[in-house]
Amino acid sequence: MLPWKRVLRPLTALLLTAAVAALPTAAHAASAPSTGWNDYTCKPSAAHPDPVVLVHGTFANSTDNWLVLAPYLEARGYCVFSLDYGQLPGVPLVYGLGPIDKSAEQLQAYVDTVLAATGAAKVDLVGHSQGGMMPRYYLKFLGGAAKVDTFVGIAPDNHGTTLDGLTKLLPYFPGAEDVISSATPALADQIAGSAFLTKLNAGGDTVPGVHYTVIATRYDEVVTPYRSQFLSGSDVHNVLIQNLCSLDLSEHALLGLSDRIAFHEVANALDPAHATTTNCLSALS
């Protein structure tokens, strides 16, 4: 084994351990009573007939990623649901690590569960980071376009990431991508130029019948360059949050975890007929 491989494997394990340690409330949150979302008795209203399914990002879970956005949407009259996906054996609390095509199959099954429970014809999807990209596989290859009305991606890695150029160094370490793929497949799938992303984006970014919104921040340090997040298509609304509020300094994580200016724009995307202007004051709404 090459010496650097002996470093990469424990480094991957260290990253996973650090991710768990960085979520001190995760164990409690995962077992805590629902704050209102994931209520399978919820029946959508005439004003908001589509349940909202929230799709977390890499190293996240169905609770911690949505402690602000889920109540925000619930307070506005939506039935809100969230799932865990992409589990790896022996890795608790943090998800979004398995092969992304398999994660899309988990989303497919979960959407069917939500539709059956609520009686709705379609859902809306809102995802952060990987969760803002992975559902596109479901829409494009697993029949999701017939079951989804609106899809909102917050800081999504739609065309992968270079991590400010660091991923371009991988070819100089033969076998590095194989090590990453075997340890954390989702990370390899999200590298710009990966086989997964090549398949996902071949033939166009979008599918007919779905309304797409992308919300990005120029200060994103995870998905780089940030403009790679934007989609091309006839029914796409690409939003740079600093064009709505130049004072918004949110980076990748905060944009999806707590940015109420971004969440106001999410609400606009879900209910465009009643959209209101998003600006810096939206942080107080």
Side-chain angles (χ1 to χ4, degrees):
M1 182 188 301
L2 294 175
W4 65 264
K5 284 190 177 182
R6 287 198 291 268
V7 175
L8 267 178
R9 285 200 172 116
L11 178 59
T12 300
L14 180 62
L15 285 172
L16 292 173
T17 302
V20 173
L23 298 172
T25 63
H28 171 74
S31 59
S34 168
T35 56
W37 78 93
N38 285 337
D39 176 4
Y40 289 91
T41 66
C42 185
K43 297 302 179 184
S45 66
H48 301 304
D50 298 334
V52 178
V53 174
L54 303 177
V55 190
H56 65 73
T58 311
F59 293 117
N61 63 53
S62 61
T63 300
D64 289 347
N65 211 142
W66 307 120
L67 291 173
V68 179
L69 181 57
Y72 181 96
L73 293 176
E74 190 188 14
R76 284 156 176 77
Y78 290 91
C79 292
V80 181
F81 301 87
S82 60
L83 77 156
D84 288 316
Y85 69 86
Q87 299 88 340
L88 287 182
V91 180
L93 306 180
V94 292
Y95 307 108
L97 302 174
I100 297 180
D101 57 348
K102 300 302 180 183
S103 293
E105 292 176 5
Q106 292 181 278
L107 175 62
Q108 177 187 30
Y110 189 76
V111 167
D112 287 347
T113 297
V114 169
L115 291 177
T118 60
K122 291 187 175 184
V123 301
D124 292 331
L125 301 177
V126 179
H128 178 218
S129 193
Q130 181 191 159
M133 173 271 290
M134 175 270 280
R136 291 179 51 224
Y137 191 94
Y138 165 56
L139 297 176
K140 196 169 189 178
F141 299 111
L142 301 177
K147 300 177 182 180
V148 175
D149 182 36
T150 296
F151 175 35
V152 183
I154 304 172
D157 49 351
N158 280 314
H159 300 96
T161 180
T162 68
L163 284 176
D164 280 332
L166 289 177
T167 60
K168 295 180 180 179
L169 297 177
L170 289 175
Y172 295 97
F173 298 90
E177 291 189 57
D178 293 337
V179 174
I180 295 173
S181 295
S182 62
T184 50
L187 296 184
D189 285 344
Q190 293 175 82
I191 295 172
S194 71
F196 172 82
L197 288 167
T198 298
K199 176 181 178 179
L200 177 63
N201 293 314
D205 291 345
T206 63
V207 295
V210 179
H211 309 294
Y212 294 83
T213 292
V214 174
I215 304 172
T217 171
R218 69 169 70 253
Y219 302 115
D220 200 309
E221 79 293 5
V222 175
V223 181
T224 59
Y226 75 85
R227 291 192 177 278
S228 69
Q229 300 175 30
F230 294 144
L231 296 172
S232 297
S234 60
D235 197 352
V236 172
H237 181 45
N238 291 315
V239 178
L240 181 63
I241 202 70
Q242 283 76 31
N243 287 343
L244 304 178
C245 175
S246 62
L247 301 177
D248 193 323
L249 302 179
S250 289
E251 40 64 69
H252 182 82
L254 289 180
L255 194 70
L257 293 175
S258 61
D259 192 318
R260 292 178 71 92
I261 298 171
F263 296 166
H264 187 273
E265 196 64 8
V266 169
N268 281 347
L270 297 178
D271 188 7
H274 299 95
T276 57
T277 301
T278 301
N279 53 37
C280 295
L281 293 177
S282 301
L284 304 178
S285 64

